[in-house]
Amino acid sequence: MKPRLSDPARRYLKQVRDIFGDELFLNFKDPDSEPLANPGELDAFHRDICECQKCPLGQTRNKFVFGVGDSNASLLLVGEAPGRDEDLKGEPFVGRAGFLLDKILKAIGRSREKDVYICNVLKCRPPENRDPLTNEVEQCEPYLLDQIRLIKPKLIVSLGRVAGQTLLRVDKPLKSMRNVIHDYHGTPLIVTYHPAALLRNENLKRPTWEDFKKIRDYLEA
Ligand code: URA
């Protein structure tokens, strides 16, 4: 049987022919031809914002913690905010929790230099590691959105309850944010446990490993 076009499709093609003639140009977007992020662009963005004073944390920080990793990473990990070690070094996840995160990444064949980018919702440390305040998130989240626009990750993984709640604008426990592929401004987002929580509670290691196996499979699909 001859395939038949629907009426709206016929009308559309007729209109195109009336305007452009008999040749049909199709403009399908080829994901492989998407321009890769230029590492220079991310560095330039870092230089542009590293003196930020948009919220009071600019006054109390030691170092602005922009992020670290591969500017073309398919996996973007997002924590809540730098802690003491990160504030001193200017790099996210460098304390004990960071060491554990590196081990988890290695188990899925990645590292902070290899197809992974790591950053936080807030780029400056809140005093005494308290949770981010609404005003701080409002000022800082646009930086994260710009990082996402430049890196174009396939998947965002937010680490811990606070990062998950902050990005998704929900007040749910971590358990109910897990095992769902959320949408964060057009990029798929998964929530899993914060590595610091695994240091406090060994029982969380297994479910976290389950999450990271799913993350690996999602990225390889
Ligand atoms: N916890 C976070 O959420 N981010 C860091 O960079 C370090 C610890």
Side-chain angles (χ1 to χ4, degrees):
M1 199 170 63
K2 250 182 159 179
R4 268 190 62 80
L5 285 173
S6 67
D7 283 341
R10 290 168 79 87
R11 259 200 315 279
Y12 171 71
L13 288 173
K14 185 170 177 313
Q15 269 173 8
V16 172
R17 190 177 60 189
D18 290 343
I19 302 168
F20 297 111
D22 277 330
E23 277 193 82
L24 185 60
F25 296 98
L26 296 175
N27 188 13
F28 290 123
K29 212 166 159 194
D30 173 2
D32 292 336
S33 72
E34 289 243 342
L36 291 178
N38 169 355
E41 274 186 279
L42 208 58
D43 290 345
F45 180 49
H46 182 185
R47 281 194 300 277
D48 281 352
I49 65 171
C50 66
E51 307 286 338
C52 179
Q53 291 293 338
K54 288 205 280 176
C55 85
L57 299 182
Q59 292 292 310
T60 53
R61 70 167 175 245
N62 279 299
K63 293 216 169 121
F64 185 89
V65 183
F66 180 74
V68 68
D70 177 351
S71 57
N72 286 304
S74 57
L75 174 60
L76 174 66
L77 300 176
V78 184
E80 63 185 81
R84 190 179 65 96
D85 296 329
E86 292 76 21
D87 174 63
L88 291 173
K89 192 160 179 210
E91 185 176 328
F93 287 96
V94 289
R96 278 180 69 222
F99 185 67
L100 180 55
L101 183 61
D102 287 341
K103 286 211 316 206
I104 297 171
L105 289 175
K106 192 162 176 220
I108 61 161
R110 290 171 188 247
S111 71
R112 57 177 73 206
E113 293 83 32
K114 191 172 152 209
D115 212 4
V116 174
Y117 197 89
I118 309 177
C119 64
N120 286 298
V121 181
L122 296 191
K123 309 301 185 218
C124 300
R125 182 191 184 202
E128 309 303 324
N129 297 346
R130 61 152 169 73
D131 288 353
L133 302 178
T134 309
N135 167 54
E136 294 159 0
V137 174
E138 270 169 17
Q139 300 300 328
C140 218
E141 195 177 9
Y143 293 154
L144 174 64
L145 289 169
D146 278 331
Q147 288 177 303
I148 294 169
R149 188 177 51 75
L150 291 169
I151 298 166
K152 301 186 196 71
K154 183 172 176 185
L155 181 67
I156 299 171
V157 173
S158 88
L159 299 168
R161 176 184 58 82
V162 176
Q165 290 179 336
T166 308
L167 296 178
L168 298 174
R169 303 281 190 278
V170 294
D171 193 16
K172 295 183 180 167
L174 189 130
K175 265 191 183 168
S176 68
M177 292 187 280
R178 271 184 76 228
N179 290 320
V180 179
I181 301 187
H182 306 270
D183 173 87
Y184 182 68
H185 296 266
T187 305
L189 180 146
I190 288 177
V191 183
T192 189
Y193 293 100
H194 195 288
L198 311 192
L199 294 173
R200 290 189 297 267
N201 181 356
E202 287 266 321
N203 294 333
L204 298 180
K205 286 191 174 167
R206 176 146 297 278
T208 306
W209 176 231
E210 296 303 324
D211 288 349
F212 271 90
K213 279 193 288 187
K214 286 185 200 144
I215 290 163
R216 179 191 59 197
D217 294 348
Y218 183 94
L219 290 169
E220 284 170 9

